[in-house]
Each structure stands twice: as structure tokens, then as C-alpha cells.
Amino acid sequence: LVDPATSSNAAIPVGRIGTTIGGYMIVVELAARHILRVSAKNAPSVFTGNIAPDDAVDIDLTQVTGATNPQVMSLNKYRSKLYAAFQDNAVLGTIGIYSGTDHEPEFDDSLSQHGSVSHRTTIPLGNDLFTLDYTGVPSVTTSQQSGQFVPDRISDLIEPMIQRNLGRLSDVTLEEKTFAVWNSRQRQYMLFVPKYEDDDVREAPEDPFFITTNMVG
């Protein structure tokens, strides 16, 4: 990607994760994962720092969330909204709001205690969105009556097993090696999570099995 006005890529962010919505490209940069870099409309290679005029904008999410760690873990389009999740919180925002020629996205919905461990575990499905956090599987649903966004959890029965397994893994392993797949035929949200860290080597003792006469029968 290069800025068409300068043929330079100096202002294009090196993204960790990203998505597109309504003609905008939104990127979370490696160097500052609390900031959303939003491109100019219909110009995915024009970001702030290029020659004006353009409507590219940067959004500091520490101003709109109470997350303990305001590092964006997941970024996705959910219906007409932009969904950005941290480890223990998430926000929903609207891109494409203008005051005159100034692009001023608005983040007016906050989902407390609903976060994500990895961008790869978030799957939007029409009126629903599923992801994985340290507690279980949070979801966001659009109410058919009011149109409001309703946070929920769909993992009550398996949350103890999820928490026990995630407790063995580092944040880096969860972010880079955990992913989800949606099985549309059977309507299954399927999670794939490593069992152990790569350096977690375990060995059985010598002669680990033994039988005594007390065990006969």
C-alpha cells in the first residue's frame, strides 16, 4: 500500500489486527495497540500523517473503555458497528460520523466483563457474535424487539473446563495459537486451544504402573 498523493508508505501503519467496514480500513498498530487507525473513506492506503485533506482519523480507546489492559485483542465488524475487544471488556462503535468535514467515530456501547483472548476466536454471525475470553464464551446478540445489543454467555456448562485449560497458557500463546471455526451445517462454534505451552515438558516416572494382589478382581 502507498499513499496515492505521495507514492510513499511512510504513514501506513504496521498492523497487528484489522478489519474493514463501510469503505474504511481499521488497523490496530503493533506499536500502540490502544489506538485504532482509521483510513480515509474508500482509500485504504490513506491514513493520518499523509498530505491533507483527507478524513483519516486515529481513535484512542483508553478514552472510551474502563478495561484493565486497554490493548485491543480483537477487531471485527458486527452488523453496522465496529466491535473492539480487550481482555476483560469490549466496545461497539459507529464509523462514518462527521462534523462538517471532520470524521468523528462514536463509541457509545460498552460491554463490561465481555472480552477476548484472540482476534482469531471472534466470529460475527448476522445477529450474533461469539468470541473467547478468560471466563468462557461471551456473545453479543441484537434484540429483535428493541434492536439493542444484548451481552450474554453461552458456555455455562463448560466454563470450568475452559478456565482450567486457559490457566496453563500464556497471553501470547492464547493470542497467536487459539482460533475458532463456525460449522454452519451443524450450527457449532468450535474452539481450538493448545493443551500446554511448547516448553511445558512432562515425563512419567520409571515404572509408573504397578499391580498388587489388592487390585485383583
Side-chain angles (χ1 to χ4, degrees), residues 102-120:
D102 294 332
H103 187 189
E104 299 180 353
E106 185 176 280
F107 287 81
D108 51 2
D109 280 307
S110 180
L111 308 174
S112 299
Q113 306 303 315
H114 282 63
S116 181
V117 299
S118 174
H119 179 68
R120 296 178 174 89

Side-chain angles (χ1 to χ4, degrees), residues 45-199:
S45 58
V46 179
F47 289 85
T48 55
N50 284 314
I51 296 174
D54 63 58
D55 56 347
V57 64
D58 295 344
I59 307 165
D60 185 351
L61 291 182
T62 60
Q63 306 300 314
V64 298
T65 180
T68 304
N69 180 3
Q71 167 175 287
V72 178
M73 302 299 296
S74 179
L75 196 64
N76 263 278
K77 177 184 177 181
Y78 174 56
R79 295 183 64 83
S80 61
K81 295 280 189 175
L82 178 67
Y83 170 85
F86 313 94
Q87 288 182 340
D88 61 350
N89 205 321
V91 292
L92 288 166
T94 303
I95 305 296
I97 298 175
Y98 287 82
S99 175
T101 59
D102 294 332
H103 187 189
E104 299 180 353
E106 185 176 280
F107 287 81
D108 51 2
D109 280 307
S110 180
L111 308 174
S112 299
Q113 306 303 315
H114 282 63
S116 181
V117 299
S118 174
H119 179 68
R120 296 178 174 89
T121 65
T122 304
I123 297 182
L125 298 165
N127 287 336
D128 300 293
L129 180 143
F130 303 133
T131 189
L132 173 68
D133 66 10
Y134 286 95
T135 301
V137 179
S139 70
V140 182
T141 303
T142 305
S143 170
Q144 295 183 356
Q145 286 76 28
S146 65
Q148 296 295 312
F149 299 103
V150 182
D152 195 9
R153 285 194 177 271
I154 59 173
S155 56
D156 292 346
L157 297 178
I158 59 173
E159 281 179 0
M161 290 178 285
I162 288 178
Q163 294 165 16
R164 186 164 57 248
N165 196 58
L166 298 191
R168 304 187 187 110
L169 305 172
S170 68
D171 292 346
V172 174
T173 296
L174 287 173
E175 183 177 4
E176 295 183 351
K177 297 186 178 181
T178 301
F179 64 95
V181 173
W182 174 252
N183 181 348
S184 57
R185 177 171 295 180
Q186 297 182 341
R187 297 188 59 78
Q188 294 174 330
Y189 174 72
M190 304 170 65
L191 281 166
F192 297 85
V193 183
K195 289 185 177 181
Y196 299 100
E197 295 285 344
D198 290 340
D199 58 356

